[in-house]
Amino acid sequence: MTSHDRPTTDAHADTDPSAGPAPASPDPGADGAADGRQVTEAALFEAFGGVRGMVETVAPGLLFVTIFTINKDLHLSAIAALAVSLVLAAARLVRKDTLKHAFSGVFGVAFGVVFAMMTGNAKDFYLPGMLYTLGLALAYMITTLAGVPLIGLILGPVFKENLSWRTRNPGRKKAYAKASWAWGLILLAKCAILFPLYWWADTTQLGWVLITLKIPPFLLAVYLTWVFLAKAPAPIDVFAEMEAKERAEEEAEERRRAERETLDRVADDLGRDLVQEAAAEPQSDPPQGGRHRR
């Protein structure tokens, strides 16, 4: 994604014709760019759950639409979808993994199950998730217009930069704004496909289209985010800055303590010297005057 500078040699350097071509020196800029890309990939993987997060997102809906396609049983389909989401969450609990992706899936499926059971319409199983997608698309765009792009709020803690990109790293803020626009527009396009199907298509058609649109838009948005951030300036590690500041304050306090102890010792030594000098001085007798005559 980024260009690499080619290593250059000095034209006036002495060379040995018999030595053969000199090996090219490594390009530190290329290494830094590669490290930046790896950090960005790791952060995106952590923030969005990676492959396992995608499985936890797709599996309940896939099971619901598969069972409903076979037997048209709303209750069985809903219970199976909720059960598999609980199993996935329990697996994360056993492995002591991050629970946010599993629990978000459980809550999303639970809302869909409750809503479908209340209305008796199987298509309503998908409606809460569709409304959430629409709200998320609007949130990405509105926060970007407000100067605080949502993707920066999500990824800032992951990159250990918090909100430093808002005022101290304008290039990174611009990249977050581009990524947020990408997420917002992609999710809005997804909603533009799904909501007409909610009204016109049956449950099976809507379900399979929704499953089909689960992963590709997500991967496209993640890829564009990676592209924008890989070209952006490196994040400012505010946690490292805070730790360095705390260490500097501790060192300064230690120096002040050492200086106070040194001054106290000097004062004590001076006091002892003065006392010893005063004790060493001879005591002079007071002058005796003659007797007074009457």
Side-chain angles (χ1 to χ4, degrees):
M1 301 302 169
T2 58
S3 60
H4 304 294
D5 296 330
R6 293 181 180 177
T8 57
T9 56
D10 189 354
H12 301 286
D14 295 334
T15 58
D16 183 2
S18 62
S25 58
D27 185 0
D31 293 340
D35 292 341
R37 289 196 298 270
Q38 291 175 358
V39 170
T40 302
E41 290 171 3
L44 291 174
F45 191 90
E46 178 182 347
F48 298 112
V51 175
R52 187 168 184 176
M54 289 188 288
V55 170
E56 291 170 344
T57 300
V58 173
L62 178 60
L63 188 59
F64 178 90
V65 71
T66 300
I67 295 176
F68 191 83
T69 301
I70 295 172
N71 58 17
K72 308 298 182 182
D73 189 334
L74 171 60
H75 291 79
L76 180 60
S77 303
I79 292 172
L82 184 59
V84 74
S85 64
L86 290 173
V87 169
L88 292 172
R92 280 194 177 265
L93 281 173
V94 171
R95 295 171 58 89
K96 297 181 180 179
D97 291 336
T98 304
L99 299 178
K100 59 182 179 180
H101 301 291
F103 279 151
S104 63
V106 170
F107 290 138
V109 173
F111 276 118
V113 168
V114 170
F115 203 65
M117 293 292 188
M118 289 176 59
T119 63
N121 184 357
K123 283 196 294 187
D124 289 338
F125 173 80
Y126 304 109
L127 187 57
M130 293 166 56
L131 293 174
Y132 173 78
T133 301
L134 178 59
L136 192 60
L138 295 176
Y140 276 117
M141 293 186 287
I142 292 172
T143 55
T144 304
L145 291 174
V148 283
L150 181 58
I151 198 69
L153 300 178
I154 295 172
L155 295 180
V158 178
F159 283 109
K160 300 180 180 180
E161 61 181 335
N162 283 352
L163 297 178
S164 62
W165 49 268
R166 288 195 62 197
T167 55
R168 300 172 56 190
N169 205 339
R172 198 156 182 87
K173 180 179 179 180
K174 185 177 180 181
Y176 280 139
K178 291 180 179 179
S180 291
W181 276 117
W183 278 91
L185 293 174
I186 289 171
L187 294 180
L188 198 62
K190 180 178 176 179
C191 291
I193 296 172
L194 293 179
F195 275 96
L197 290 176
Y198 175 80
W199 297 108
W200 301 333
D202 59 27
T203 302
T204 300
Q205 293 170 337
L206 174 62
W208 286 112
V209 171
L210 194 146
I211 293 299
T212 304
L213 293 179
K214 277 280 186 180
I215 300 302
F218 172 81
L219 292 179
L220 176 60
V222 170
Y223 172 74
L224 292 176
T225 302
W226 181 83
V227 169
F228 296 139
L229 293 183
K231 297 179 179 179
I236 299 172
D237 192 339
V238 295
F239 296 122
E241 288 183 345
M242 292 171 60
E243 292 174 356
K245 183 178 179 182
E246 290 176 358
R247 285 195 299 269
E249 291 176 352
E250 291 175 356
E251 292 173 357
E253 181 62 28
E254 187 65 27
R255 286 195 298 269
R256 288 193 293 268
R257 187 182 302 110
E259 291 172 356
R260 286 195 300 267
E261 292 175 354
T262 302
L263 291 175
D264 291 341
R265 285 195 299 270
V266 171
D268 291 341
D269 293 341
L270 289 175
R272 282 194 297 270
D273 292 343
L274 291 174
V275 170
Q276 292 174 358
E277 290 177 2
E281 290 181 356
Q283 297 289 337
S284 58
D285 295 333
Q288 296 180 357
R291 292 181 180 180
H292 295 285
R293 296 180 180 177
R294 291 183 179 178

